Amino acid sequence: MQVVRGKRIRTLYSPEQIAQRNNELAAQIKGGPIQDLLVISVLKGSFIFAADLIRAMHATGLAPEVEFITLSSYGKGTVSQGVKIIKDIDSDVHGRDILLIDDILESGRTLRFAKELMYERGARHVTIAVLLDKRVKRQTELEADYVGFECPDYFVVGYGMDVAYAFRELPFVGVVEGDDE
Ligand code: IMP
Ligand code: MG
């Protein structure tokens, strides 16, 4: 348990656990069929995970190109749920093998949108790496190819992930338990 700016935050995954898992994921990716990867980090939540994972990939000998896309979902909880592009990638993905990196796979809408978008643009192959999989929240068939941790259904913060714009800078993944009084 840590107190950060008056909030009690319980650690779910420590920096050491995350680093270890990133090395394991990088080894899995290295062992996979595709070596000439264009990594696309889905912002904002994945920026720290992507930064660490591509360096772990480098340590295995992989040399991915790196791109960024900012996606945002709207209409959460209503019938008109959708995903829109806030900032697009610059590269042409035609014929490329892509690894999408995101923080959390929850309903699956964000990553399904991203995956379909890349195939529509002519990508040859699209795989997905996520730090956390909240499987109980899934509302589509989508599965990730590489999963850091199967995450219980908590709202988590840290390691890039926020609640109301706060706590992205925490070096661990945690759950906000309440106010410290
Ligand atoms: P979905 O899979 O489209 O439902 O949405 C997943 C996205 O919602 C993730 O990429 C995160 O940006 C955000 N998200 C989902 N759960 C959490 C959480 O517990 N903490 C912070 N962001 C979350
Ligand atoms: Mg996200």
Side-chain angles (χ1 to χ4, degrees):
M1 187 75 70
Q2 303 199 23
V3 177
V4 184
R5 299 194 296 280
K7 298 282 185 196
R8 279 183 289 116
I9 301 182
R10 177 166 59 87
T11 303
L12 214 49
Y13 306 108
S14 68
E16 295 74 21
Q17 284 174 296
I18 296 168
Q20 155 107 33
R21 209 47 207 128
N22 285 344
N23 290 335
E24 292 167 358
L25 291 179
Q28 276 181 36
I29 295 165
K30 171 71 177 173
I34 292 157
Q35 305 294 299
D36 181 21
L37 281 168
L38 172 62
V39 158
I40 302 179
S41 166
V42 181
L43 297 176
K44 301 176 181 164
S46 76
F47 76 109
I48 294 179
F49 175 48
D52 283 348
L53 185 59
I54 62 169
R55 284 178 289 180
M57 287 166 69
H58 164 76
T60 73
L62 290 169
E65 286 178 36
V66 184
E67 271 281 4
F68 302 91
I69 192 168
T70 308
L71 298 176
S72 125
S73 44
Y74 58 88
K76 263 208 170 121
T78 71
V79 277
S80 61
Q81 293 148 334
V83 179
K84 66 180 176 205
I85 302 169
I86 307 294
K87 269 195 213 122
D88 209 339
I89 55 172
D90 302 317
S91 300
D92 181 6
V93 301
H94 199 268
R96 301 297 306 268
D97 295 317
I98 290 173
L99 177 66
L100 293 167
I101 299 184
D102 206 354
D103 52 356
I104 303 186
L105 177 54
E106 209 176 71
S107 75
R109 272 190 292 272
T110 308
L111 281 167
R112 192 183 67 176
F113 173 89
K115 189 173 184 174
E116 285 174 358
L117 181 72
M118 296 309 150
Y119 276 125
E120 277 164 26
R121 291 176 175 179
R124 190 171 72 157
H125 191 62
V126 183
T127 48
I128 293 173
V130 293
L131 180 69
L132 305 177
D133 186 356
K134 283 196 206 167
R135 194 172 288 275
V136 295
K137 287 286 191 69
R138 196 81 85 258
Q139 294 185 29
T140 66
E141 294 285 295
L142 194 84
E143 294 297 332
D145 303 272
Y146 307 98
V147 174
F149 302 94
E150 297 280 343
C151 181
D153 187 18
Y154 299 123
F155 195 85
V156 298
V157 298
Y159 199 66
M161 296 172 281
D162 73 313
V163 59
Y165 309 108
F167 301 127
R168 288 194 199 273
E169 78 284 8
L170 303 181
F172 58 93
V173 175
V175 182
V176 180
E177 302 262 81
D179 296 318
D180 182 53
E181 64 248 349

